Amino acid sequence: MQTITVMLDSVPGERSYPIHIGEDILCQPELFLERLPQKRVAIISNTVVAPLYMERLRSALGRHNVVSLPIILPDGEEHKNLQTLNLIYDALLAHRCERGTSIIALGGGVVGDLTGFAAATYLRGVPFFQVPTTLLAQVDSSVGGKTGINHPLGKNMIGAFYQPRAVIVDTVTLDTLPDRELRAGIAEIIKYGLIRDPAFLEWLEKNIAGLVARDAEIMVEAIRRSCVNKAEVVEADERESGGRALLNLGHTFGHAIENGMGYGVWLHGEAVAAGTILAAELSQRMHLINSIDVERIRNLYAQAGLPCVAPNLGTAEYVRLMGLDKKVEGGKIRFVLLERMGKAVVRSDVPSNMLAATLAECTG
Ligand code: NAD
Ligand code: MG
């Protein structure tokens, strides 16, 4: 097992927390026990993940006399809303869960975001643990404390920063994850290499085939290095007033693709892959990286089986959709671009003709 610590206060305080990564660690409740104020937990999952892993986790906790309440939500991004959040509150209140009752998220990013927000707000905050079961959740959403739900007028518009007490990444859970979901997670792994870790980028170029083929050692190493990167970014800028924004490489275009195509048609990671290639093309037009760099990026995504060409929604539609992004400031779209391979930069001075040329020439 590998352990990374997310250090949140300058003095290692109670908000710092471990990320444990390993095979079959769902069955090691010691990883939770030392951080549980009460031997009582609620485990929140969904109709797909609960039949696969709920009993394994409950019986492991039960062996240490931890009483658990399962709460099972409907599956899917369309349920990441106030109504589903209310199902969690209903169950917690009906079972008289107290301030010391911990809440465990067992599932992908949707379950993690909903559960985290429930934990942040139930009784003004109860202890919360992440047990991510998708690759995307293991390398991205379970680390860093962003929690929340969607509003009919926008994705992730209601939420809170609320850190978990521990993140337990059991790589065995990936065995049941469909290939398409796995590849969507790889898109976010590649992102860390591109924005801040050139050595990791080179490692990924060598190991991408093994990663796609689910080689166990390569998988653990890719997750570990991703979590180290995410932890460092979050430690430096927990509430996204600066460097955390670099994590949005490919996301401004990506969100426009997801929204423009209709949510669910493209997976988030797929839209991020095609969006990152657009960001790379734009970076080249801004004279930051060169065409060989752009080809390297395209090649890596292609080998990961991710889409490399963004759909042609029309320039005006892209600009309209990108204007809806949470990250727009004072009406200016802020693009994350690549200054060089392994280093990203935020720019709000992209000339509209360069943006238009990129969208006209590089979508299809
Ligand atoms: P998801 O949670 O919808 O999971 C994808 C699908 O896989 C679902 O059908 C799920 O039930 C299923 N699944 C989960 N684990 C499985 C397993 N082990 N075996 C088989 N099937 C399994 O999607 P996701 O990609 O994990 O997360 C996307 C969500 O995460 C979005 O809502 C996004 O906004 C959010 N997100 C949050 C952050 C953050 O910092 N909080 C970061 C990135 C993404
Ligand atoms: Mg993302």
Side-chain angles (χ1 to χ4, degrees), residues 46 48-49 52-53 75-77 80 107-111 113 133-134 136-137 140-141 143 146-147 155-156 173-174 176-178 181 188 230 244 268:
N46 69 25
V48 171
V49 179
L52 297 169
Y53 304 110
D75 178 45
E77 180 76 33
K80 190 174 137 180
V110 169
V111 166
D113 281 11
T133 62
T134 63
L136 182 132
D140 190 355
S141 62
V143 176
K146 279 193 187 178
T147 71
K155 229 173 127 343
N156 294 327
T173 60
L174 297 178
T176 54
L177 190 70
E181 295 288 350
E188 301 284 13
K230 178 94 189 234
R244 190 164 180 168
H268 174 71

Side-chain angles (χ1 to χ4, degrees), residues 252-324:
T252 303
F253 290 116
H255 289 150
I257 296 170
E258 280 181 277
N259 192 347
M261 296 301 283
Y263 280 108
V265 177
W266 285 54
L267 293 183
H268 174 71
E270 294 169 341
V272 166
T276 299
I277 291 166
L278 281 180
E281 293 277 7
L282 182 56
S283 306
Q284 186 201 334
R285 282 163 181 76
M286 298 279 291
H287 307 291
L288 297 168
I289 58 173
N290 63 37
S291 61
I292 298 168
D293 297 329
V294 178
E295 271 324 294
R296 252 180 88 186
I297 297 170
R298 200 189 312 275
N299 204 11
L300 189 53
Y301 282 113
Q303 285 188 69
L306 285 156
C308 295
V309 182
N312 186 352
L313 306 171
T315 301
E317 181 65 353
Y318 264 106
V319 171
R320 185 187 74 82
L321 290 166
M322 291 191 296
L324 303 176

Side-chain angles (χ1 to χ4, degrees), residues 39-200:
K39 287 205 160 186
R40 192 167 178 220
V41 300
I43 307 174
I44 302 181
S45 191
N46 69 25
T47 50
V48 171
V49 179
L52 297 169
Y53 304 110
M54 180 65 90
E55 267 323 301
R56 212 181 284 186
L57 181 56
R58 288 192 77 197
S59 61
L61 289 165
R63 284 197 296 279
H64 291 261
N65 306 316
V66 177
V67 178
S68 59
L69 165 72
I71 302 176
I72 303 191
L73 309 175
D75 178 45
E77 180 76 33
E78 68 274 26
H79 297 289
K80 190 174 137 180
N81 58 24
L82 205 51
Q83 205 183 342
T84 310
L85 182 69
N86 215 23
L87 294 177
I88 303 178
Y89 296 139
D90 288 348
L92 295 173
L93 284 165
H95 290 85
R96 298 179 183 281
C97 292
E98 302 170 0
R99 277 231 170 101
T101 308
S102 298
I103 309 192
I104 301 176
L106 174 67
V110 169
V111 166
D113 281 11
L114 270 161
T115 303
F117 191 50
T121 46
Y122 181 69
L123 304 181
R124 299 198 181 86
V126 295
F128 154 55
F129 293 79
Q130 287 272 17
V131 182
T133 62
T134 63
L135 184 58
L136 182 132
Q138 295 180 351
V139 300
D140 190 355
S141 62
S142 67
V143 176
K146 279 193 187 178
T147 71
I149 57 172
N150 300 328
H151 183 274
L153 296 181
K155 229 173 127 343
N156 294 327
M157 287 295 167
I158 315 292
F161 285 97
Y162 193 65
Q163 300 290 345
R165 292 222 170 168
V167 181
I168 287 127
V169 177
D170 185 341
T171 53
V172 170
T173 60
L174 297 178
D175 289 351
T176 54
L177 190 70
D179 280 333
R180 192 175 166 203
E181 295 288 350
L182 188 91
R183 290 194 293 265
I186 295 175
E188 301 284 13
I189 292 178
I190 294 171
K191 179 184 75 182
Y192 296 115
L194 288 171
I195 63 169
R196 69 192 304 279
D197 192 343
F200 185 37

